Amino acid sequence: MLLLIALLLLFIIPLVLLVLENTKLRAGYLWFLALGSALAVWVLVMFSRVQFPIQIVLMRWQPDTLFMFTPTLLLDEISWTYAAVLAVYPLAILLTDIIQVENIDSQAWAATLGIAGLSLLAVLAENPLTLMLAWTMMDLAEMVMLLQRVSHSQQRERVIITFSVRQMGVFILLAAAMVAQVRGEYLTFKNIPADISGILLLAVGLRLGVLPPHQPFFQEPPLRRGLGTMVRLASVASSLTLLARLAVVGVPVSWQPYLLVVAVLAALYSGFAWIQAKDELDGRPFWILGLATFSLVAAVRNMPAASIAWGIALLSVGGISFLASYRSRSISVITIF
């Protein structure tokens, strides 16, 4: 119940903000409403820990001949860990955006809360159908926001290519579900067959930009701090959650040498590129690629705790770096700590 309330807030409050914006209400009141909602969501997610493990059926999918499962949420140790990190982002973004006058934008605040809601749906997905729906909605929302902010045809082409690559990950996830269904198996993320895990890993690797390392993920979109951080890390978090679940079962032994070779190359490339980046935002895609690679290697080696640890490092330390725009020696000490 706590999770459902949090999700409702993340989907309803953005609509309220957009409606109130047209009434010419002062931005301070809109920010206070968004901040209060973000704080409430964070508290609800944190206290939801006392309820797991729990499954929540969102709706009955029809026709049931197409899929053997229905949109369902799963709250357990893995999903709650990533949900707890994601729930902090809207709060942190709203607190940091207001400091920068040029970032006072109620539409961006609404989009931040909405993307957070979609990312929580993806992180809490119990089966492939739920995750496919969440991934697709997140990708569409990101594509629409980016296309509104770019003016050159080359930038639009890059946005479309990135969307297409991520949707290939969705199709691979669908293929894994269909393979299991043909066998008469009910594929959920609580019970992943070992011979299906390799296909799911390809879907995750493709969306993270790790398998194979591909160009659209090496360039930053026009969304920078704040909303840009939410958009970039929300999609990553949903993939890392599935990666942690795959780490429980591992991947076929015959796949491991090839996956590890590709992962090592991706890690080396991202490390050198991150060092050479002029600032933390230009280096953001390489930070994501590098730490996501470590999380993927841990999954390949059947080490779920290590996979989660690298994923949390990616999201938490990365989030601090990408949102911290003020530079001073005293603040830097706190950030490093």
Side-chain angles (χ1 to χ4, degrees):
M1 181 60 71
L2 295 179
L3 275 179
L4 290 180
I5 296 174
L7 288 170
L8 286 175
L9 285 174
L10 289 173
F11 291 131
I12 292 176
I13 296 302
L15 298 177
V16 175
L17 289 173
L18 294 177
V19 171
L20 292 178
E21 184 186 31
N22 295 325
T23 64
K24 305 302 181 181
L25 192 66
R26 289 178 59 183
Y29 294 110
L30 299 180
W31 175 81
F32 187 78
L33 174 61
L35 181 67
S37 303
L39 179 60
V41 168
W42 177 71
V43 172
L44 289 168
V45 171
M46 296 302 292
F47 276 98
S48 67
R49 190 182 191 281
V50 301
Q51 296 182 327
F52 71 62
I54 186 175
Q55 289 186 206
I56 304 173
V57 178
L58 297 178
M59 60 178 292
R60 293 294 176 185
W61 187 265
Q62 298 293 332
D64 54 9
T65 54
L66 182 61
F67 288 106
M68 297 172 62
F69 31 69
T70 190
T72 305
L73 303 182
L74 171 63
L75 180 67
D76 59 7
E77 293 184 0
I78 294 176
S79 59
W80 181 86
T81 301
Y82 282 107
V85 176
L86 281 174
V88 177
Y89 279 138
L91 192 60
I93 289 169
L94 287 164
L95 288 172
T96 53
D97 270 3
I98 198 66
I99 297 174
Q100 304 175 55
V101 178
E102 68 275 11
N103 288 335
I104 296 179
D105 182 0
S106 58
Q107 292 185 6
W109 301 335
T112 297
L113 294 174
I115 292 295
L118 293 176
S119 65
L120 279 181
L121 282 178
V123 163
L124 297 166
E126 187 264 352
N127 55 52
L129 177 60
T130 312
L131 185 56
M132 284 189 290
L133 293 173
W135 271 354
T136 301
M137 288 187 291
M138 289 173 62
D139 293 343
L140 285 172
E142 180 180 351
M143 182 179 68
V144 170
M145 286 188 291
L146 291 177
L147 289 177
Q148 290 176 342
R149 288 169 168 79
V150 298
S151 55
H152 300 292
S153 58
Q154 186 177 4
Q155 292 177 315
R156 292 196 183 97
E157 180 181 354
R158 198 176 74 204
V159 171
I160 298 299
I161 291 175
T162 303
F163 172 79
S164 302
V165 171
R166 287 180 176 165
Q167 283 302 293
M168 287 175 62
V170 175
F171 286 124
I172 294 175
L173 178 60
L174 174 62
M178 297 304 292
V179 168
Q181 185 163 322
V182 167
R183 298 178 181 176
E185 299 175 350
Y186 184 79
L187 176 60
T188 69
F189 297 143
K190 293 191 301 181
N191 183 26
I192 302 176
D195 55 346
I196 300 291
S197 63
I199 303 176
L200 294 175
L201 187 70
L202 289 178
V204 173
L206 196 61
R207 289 190 61 87
L208 288 173
V210 178
L211 298 175
H214 33 283
Q215 186 65 23
F217 291 85
F218 297 157
Q219 298 173 335
E220 274 297 277
L223 299 173
R224 303 293 279 175
R225 299 189 193 274
L227 178 57
T229 298
M230 185 77 250
V231 168
R232 290 305 300 266
L233 296 184
S235 178
V236 171
S238 62
S239 300
L240 291 173
T241 307
L242 179 54
L243 200 57
R245 298 193 185 283
L246 290 172
V248 176
V249 295
V251 298
V253 177
S254 59
W255 291 45
Q256 292 187 10
Y258 305 102
L259 293 173
L260 292 176
V261 168
V262 174
V264 167
L265 294 176
L268 290 174
Y269 172 77
S270 61
F272 284 116
W274 184 77
I275 291 174
Q276 296 175 359
K278 65 180 182 180
D279 58 35
E280 68 278 1
L281 290 183
D282 282 340
R284 183 162 59 186
F286 306 109
W287 170 272
I288 293 173
L289 177 63
L291 270 73
T293 300
F294 285 120
S295 183
L296 184 141
V297 169
V300 171
R301 298 297 301 274
N302 203 193
M303 302 168 65
S307 180
I308 294 173
W310 283 113
I312 295 302
L314 188 163
L315 297 172
S316 58
V317 180
I320 293 173
S321 302
F322 306 147
L323 293 176
S325 59
Y326 181 71
R327 294 290 180 268
S328 75
R329 184 170 299 178
S330 58
I331 295 297
S332 298
V333 171
I334 298 175
T335 305
I336 292 171
F337 174 75

